[in-house]
Amino acid sequence: MPPIPRPLHRTLAAVAAAILVVVLGWASPASADHTLPPGIPSTSAAQSQLDSLTVAPKGPQSGYDRSLFPHWVDVQGNCSARQVVLMRDGHDVVTNSSCQPTSGRWWSAFDDTWVHDDPSRISVDHMVPLSEAWKTGARYWSTSERRAFANDVDSSQLWLATPSSNSRKGDDDPSEWMPPNTAVHCDYVKSWINVKYRYDLTVTSAERSTLQYTINTRC
């Protein structure tokens, strides 16, 4: 039997893939669907911002309470910050008259996991956790400043994350926890740096070392 020409090989492979999708009824979302928050800086900008951050030990946890950072308040009409992020970074999102998403697809960059249809199964994570912000400068802010920080939908402060990855991260900085999805490490630290820079928050020496190492090795 004569060999099959290469173009025909490619055609047959495409047909086979299409048949698998039809038979199985599902295919992995394309990598192009992987939406990250807005405002992640370039590597050079992140490096410049990192160089300008103040290095200092973390302050005390005493006095902290999540209620000091009013979050998931309305930021666009009657849409809360959480709802806006679900619409902003989700795919095929359908909402009701109260701006609440009722179906769609959401990608958690931390663990490279997709959530389908049920928005209650996806969390919105504060890149720089509220407790971390408190210990690195936010304890001196006004309530309105903390509200703006906790509901900032215009920067990369708010990320989609599965509840399990969000829980594992907790209040840790990058020297204590990094996403299991190593492919997102560069964007993760650039986002962390940018949020700390935008809000004039300090970093510890261990945190700064991890941020620099990740830029050097992952970006």
Side-chain angles (χ1 to χ4, degrees):
M1 179 178 179
I4 300 174
R6 287 184 180 179
L8 184 54
H9 265 303
R10 290 193 292 269
T11 301
L12 292 175
V15 171
I19 291 172
L20 281 175
V21 170
V22 171
V23 172
L24 297 178
W26 179 86
S28 297
S31 59
D33 285 345
H34 293 173
T35 302
L36 292 174
I40 298 175
S42 66
T43 300
S44 60
Q47 181 65 65
S48 177
Q49 292 168 8
L50 177 59
D51 292 341
S52 72
L53 294 179
T54 299
V55 177
K58 291 183 184 181
Q61 177 82 357
S62 59
Y64 168 74
D65 191 279
R66 283 180 67 84
S67 65
L68 295 172
F69 293 79
H71 51 288
W72 309 152
V73 301
D74 289 351
V75 294
Q76 294 179 8
N78 67 331
C79 300
S80 71
R82 171 180 162 80
Q83 292 169 333
V84 168
V85 173
L86 289 174
M87 292 185 288
R88 183 193 72 189
D89 298 341
H91 302 272
D92 306 318
V93 178
V94 176
T95 63
N96 61 23
S97 59
S98 299
C99 210
Q100 175 60 29
T102 57
S103 65
R105 296 185 293 123
W106 296 273
W107 180 62
S108 168
F110 293 174
D111 48 7
D112 193 17
T113 298
W114 282 90
V115 169
H116 296 262
D117 297 326
D118 184 358
S120 68
R121 295 175 51 231
I122 192 75
S123 296
V124 175
D125 174 69
H126 290 96
M127 167 54 60
V128 174
L130 306 182
S131 174
E132 165 72 14
W134 177 266
K135 292 179 287 190
T136 58
R139 63 188 180 278
Y140 303 116
W141 296 351
S142 66
T143 299
S144 61
E145 288 172 324
R146 289 192 286 265
R147 181 187 297 111
F149 174 81
N151 300 278
D152 186 356
V153 298
D154 297 318
S155 75
S156 63
Q157 164 65 344
L158 299 176
W159 286 57
L160 296 177
T162 55
S164 58
S165 63
N166 192 15
S167 177
R168 284 193 295 270
K169 175 185 175 182
D171 295 334
D172 291 347
D173 69 48
S175 70
E176 301 162 318
W177 185 89
M178 288 284 283
N181 177 21
T182 58
V184 80
H185 281 189
C186 177
D187 286 317
Y188 186 86
V189 299
K190 289 193 297 183
S191 173
W192 182 280
I193 291 166
N194 183 251
V195 173
K196 287 261 175 152
Y197 175 79
R198 284 170 63 91
Y199 289 93
D200 197 24
L201 298 171
T202 62
V203 293
T204 66
S205 58
E207 180 185 346
R208 192 195 185 288
S209 294
T210 298
L211 296 169
Q212 186 64 68
Y213 176 80
T214 306
I215 285 179
N216 294 343
T217 60
R218 294 294 185 182
C219 298

